[in-house]
Amino acid sequence: MELFFKWIKQHLRIKAFFGTSENAVKTQIWIAVSVYVLVAILKKRLGLEPTLYQILQVLSVTLFEKVPILRAFDDTQSHEKLTVFSNQLNLLDL
């Protein structure tokens, strides 16, 4: 049991439990495990080099964008996208 909880603390990103009942805690743990497994499958099938943590970071940033998954992990295209299609206005743009 201790190894299971140690693995949960190290690999799953559960900061706080949203419910206090046993069912709420179990549901949140199962959802976190499911997301972890889906990301591991995504990494293996697409042959991605980043770690699972890095993949989760990219997915959390691009969650609401309509970007193909492979393009989200391509460094050169993501840098071009940020510079060309930035919605942020420049303060001293003349």
Side-chain angles (χ1 to χ4, degrees):
M1 261 314 177
E2 290 180 27
L3 290 175
F4 175 69
F5 287 111
K6 183 178 178 181
W7 183 87
I8 285 176
K9 288 173 94 176
Q10 290 178 350
H11 294 89
L12 303 182
R13 302 197 57 169
I14 300 175
K15 302 234 184 226
F17 290 107
F18 295 110
T20 56
S21 69
E22 180 182 352
N23 190 34
V25 171
K26 283 182 180 180
T27 301
Q28 191 170 350
I29 289 173
W30 277 112
I31 289 171
V33 169
S34 299
V35 168
Y36 185 85
V37 169
L38 286 172
V39 170
I41 291 170
L42 176 80
K43 177 182 173 152
K44 183 169 179 132
R45 289 227 176 140
L46 296 179
L48 297 174
E49 292 181 17
T51 64
L52 291 177
Y53 178 76
Q54 291 170 335
I55 293 171
L56 285 169
Q57 290 291 326
V58 170
L59 290 177
S60 69
V61 170
T62 61
L63 185 62
F64 295 108
E65 295 181 17
K66 290 185 178 181
V67 177
I69 291 176
L70 288 177
R71 183 174 290 173
F73 293 104
D74 187 18
D75 288 336
T76 58
Q77 290 181 1
S78 65
H79 290 300
E80 291 173 8
K81 180 184 164 202
L82 289 175
T83 57
V84 175
F85 297 112
S86 178
N87 289 335
Q88 185 174 358
L89 297 174
N90 291 331
L91 180 63
L92 301 173
D93 190 22
L94 300 174

